[in-house]
Amino acid sequence: MNDLDNELSVKKKKFEFPHVFALLFFMIILTALFTYFIPSGEYDREITEDDRTVVIDGTYHEVEGTSIGFFDIFQIVHKGMVEGSSIIFFILIIGGAFGILNATKSIDTALLKISTKAKGREAIIIPIVMAFFSLGGATFGMSEEIIPFILIMIPLALRLGYDSIVGLAMVIVGVYSGYAGAFLNPFTIGVAQGIAELPLFSGLGYRILVWFIYTALGISFVMLYARKIKKDPTKSSMYEIDKTYPLEETHESELSKKQLLILVIFGMTIVGLGFGVIVHGWYITEIAALFLIMGVLSGIVYLMPINKIAENFVDGCKDIIVAALSVGLAYGILVALQDSLTIDTVLYTVSTWVNQLPQNFAGIGMYVTQSIMNLLVPSGSGQAALTMPIMTPLADLTGVSRQTAVFAFQLGDAISNTALPTSGVVMGSLALAGVSWNKWLRWLLPLLIIQYALGAVLIIIAQTIIWP
């Protein structure tokens, strides 16, 4: 009996959480099964004056069923890759560019100097970095742009004595805390208020307060965890994995002139990224081009032969191929929902439920609805275009102010962004950091619970005091 118990114990210890590809493919299968139970339906749509496609409230109707079959499941993998191709190739180009940059050891040497100078004061780096990303999310809608920074923050966190979860959290928790408290984000607040026929970026004061609260909460959560890991690194679920992280060993005490020039090029790239996104409305095509220029220039300045530049680019692509392809599989889940025409059915069902709630709870109902829809439509502007044409008249009918309806969308769209398995940015970032989704979710869950509870309180305050 004891031998049998030992054998079972060994088998239990051998259990491993599914690879990110297996997890995402399972979710595609699960979504396909759901299409046999959720009726297909759709709203009529129209194109607004500013070329946005929005749904027309009151036009939902059932359509002929388009359930996902066995062979369709495997086609969806390819369709998802095609649908997410812009982000997939964006990640590959970024990885290739950093492959060239990393070969110069400029970043590694700089990070080593930072970690040495910050000795004893490492914790101050966390709020500075997270506040930067939070402002990016709150103002110009920073999202896909965070992917290159994962490649910098993970080694920085490890050199400071933390783990890869801290490096990942500084970026993801930081930027999406900014989304939750967004006050100038044109892709969420701008689109939603435009559809709700509200003055652009109105309600600024309360939203800035919300931004401060969510950013402070995110920073505090990450810093408490970082302090625990600093004291005892073995408490990290990434402890064994982080020990194998390929940190470049460098014993150079000073940066060479070539490396300093490369760091200047890198700094100008970051400044150019912010300028291009804010002033010229750049998206991933322009950003990919910018980082590609950075990589090539870094190789030239370092006097790399042209073939070596190409080889380092390919090596960089190899390092993040899992992250890139994870995006395609995540998009496959969305393709399954789109092909089966079930997204509108879910929206119609939950909006009908909200309409039946008492006035005092209608705002919370909208909050729950937007949180559910965010799983199906992780794009902020896409979710606004889908839900706000319905939530706006619904707000009028239930006595909820339109500003509160937009605020419910803002929080519902943002909070779960840090953990969405349907988000190409999140799944790509996790794969890039080498952190499995289940470990990330287990670490993040207490913060998500607090954020959701806080959001409910803030919506009640908005509905009763700020925007009655």
Side-chain angles (χ1 to χ4, degrees):
M1 182 64 114
N2 289 336
D3 291 339
L4 181 60
D5 288 341
N6 289 336
E7 188 178 339
L8 290 172
S9 177
V10 170
K11 286 183 178 179
K12 285 181 181 178
K13 288 180 181 178
K14 286 184 178 178
F15 172 78
E16 293 183 7
F17 193 82
H19 188 280
V20 61
F21 287 0
L23 174 66
L24 290 170
F25 186 69
F26 172 75
M27 294 188 69
I28 291 174
I29 295 173
L30 197 61
T31 304
L33 291 175
F34 282 151
T35 65
Y36 286 90
F37 302 99
I38 302 174
S40 298
E42 61 184 3
Y43 285 94
D44 293 337
R45 285 165 166 78
E46 64 181 358
I47 299 176
T48 62
E49 293 180 357
D50 53 355
D51 291 328
R52 283 199 305 265
T53 301
V54 298
V55 301
I56 303 173
D57 186 34
T59 62
Y60 174 82
H61 55 281
E62 291 193 7
V63 297
E64 186 177 349
T66 52
S67 300
I68 304 298
F70 176 79
F71 191 53
D72 296 325
I73 291 173
F74 295 89
Q75 294 183 67
I76 280 171
V77 174
H78 177 262
K79 288 182 179 180
M81 296 292 177
V82 173
E83 187 76 16
S85 59
S86 60
I87 296 180
I88 291 172
F89 286 107
F90 170 71
I91 292 174
L92 288 173
I93 291 172
I94 293 296
F98 269 88
I100 302 169
L101 179 64
N102 290 339
T104 70
K105 292 186 171 54
S106 302
I107 294 290
D108 293 298
T109 305
L111 291 180
L112 184 62
K113 289 183 72 66
I114 291 172
S115 60
T116 301
K117 290 192 175 183
K119 197 171 183 69
R121 298 170 296 170
E122 297 90 346
I124 196 171
I125 292 176
I126 295 175
I128 292 173
V129 170
M130 291 186 69
F132 165 77
F133 284 112
S134 182
L135 276 173
T139 54
F140 65 87
M142 192 179 199
S143 184
E144 285 84 358
E145 297 90 345
I146 68 173
I147 292 173
F149 294 97
I150 301 294
L151 297 166
I152 302 170
M153 291 301 134
I154 299 295
L156 176 60
L158 294 177
R159 290 196 183 280
L160 292 174
Y162 304 128
D163 65 356
S164 49
I165 287 180
V166 172
L168 189 63
M170 284 194 286
V171 181
I172 293 184
V173 174
V175 78
Y176 290 123
S177 294
Y179 260 73
F183 47 88
L184 292 177
N185 188 333
F187 304 108
T188 56
I189 302 303
V191 173
Q193 288 186 328
I195 294 172
E197 299 178 332
L198 293 168
L200 193 61
F201 303 128
S202 53
L204 193 64
Y206 188 59
R207 286 192 167 84
I208 290 176
L209 175 63
V210 171
W211 171 80
F212 179 82
I213 292 171
Y214 269 97
T215 301
L217 174 62
I219 290 173
S220 300
F221 185 82
V222 175
M223 289 187 72
L224 285 172
Y225 173 77
R227 183 185 300 172
K228 182 179 77 171
I229 299 304
K230 187 75 172 176
K231 288 181 179 178
D232 185 0
T234 62
K235 289 185 177 180
S236 168
S237 62
M238 295 296 295
Y239 178 67
E240 294 296 332
I241 298 173
D242 283 345
K243 285 197 297 186
T244 65
Y245 190 91
L247 279 177
E248 291 287 341
E249 291 296 330
T250 176
H251 303 288
E252 298 177 38
S253 58
E254 295 296 332
L255 289 158
S256 68
K257 290 181 180 179
K258 289 186 293 186
Q259 289 175 323
L260 283 171
L261 182 54
I262 289 169
L263 289 177
V264 170
I265 292 171
F266 175 72
M268 290 174 64
T269 301
I270 302 305
V271 172
L273 169 65
F275 180 79
V277 170
I278 296 171
V279 178
H280 296 293
W282 282 4
Y283 193 46
I284 55 180
T285 299
E286 295 85 356
I287 297 169
L290 180 67
F291 276 93
L292 183 56
I293 292 170
M294 176 205 73
V296 173
L297 283 179
S298 298
I300 292 172
V301 169
Y302 203 68
L303 302 180
M304 283 183 194
I306 187 69
N307 284 354
K308 195 63 179 176
I309 292 176
E311 289 169 7
N312 287 325
F313 181 87
V314 172
D315 288 340
C317 292
K318 288 178 183 177
D319 290 341
I320 61 168
I321 190 68
V322 172
L325 295 182
S326 297
V327 172
L329 285 168
Y331 267 89
I333 300 168
L334 303 180
V335 169
L337 292 166
Q338 292 167 356
D339 286 358
S340 61
L341 300 176
T342 53
I343 292 180
D344 285 7
T345 300
V346 175
L347 176 59
Y348 172 73
T349 302
V350 292
S351 63
T352 302
W353 165 71
V354 171
N355 199 27
Q356 296 173 349
L357 291 174
Q359 179 180 341
N360 292 338
F361 293 96
I364 299 297
M366 291 179 179
Y367 176 43
V368 173
T369 298
Q370 298 290 3
S371 299
I372 294 171
M373 293 309 300
N374 197 40
L375 179 65
L376 308 180
V377 188
S379 164
S381 55
Q383 185 180 340
L386 177 66
T387 62
M388 289 313 299
I390 295 169
M391 292 299 157
T392 300
L394 189 60
D396 295 339
L397 289 172
T398 55
V400 175
S401 74
R402 293 188 176 191
Q403 199 71 266
T404 301
V406 171
F407 185 52
F409 153 74
Q410 173 183 336
L411 293 178
D413 166 68
I415 292 174
S416 62
N417 276 347
T418 50
L420 285 180
T422 51
S423 168
V425 173
V426 170
M427 297 309 290
S429 297
L430 289 176
L432 202 58
V435 178
S436 65
W437 184 70
N438 71 308
K439 287 182 179 179
W440 175 247
L441 184 61
R442 193 184 309 141
W443 175 82
L444 190 67
L445 193 57
L447 178 61
L448 285 176
I449 293 171
I450 296 169
Q451 287 178 326
Y452 272 116
L454 176 61
V457 172
L458 291 170
I459 286 173
I460 291 172
I461 293 173
Q463 186 176 342
T464 56
I465 301 174
I466 309 299
W467 303 307

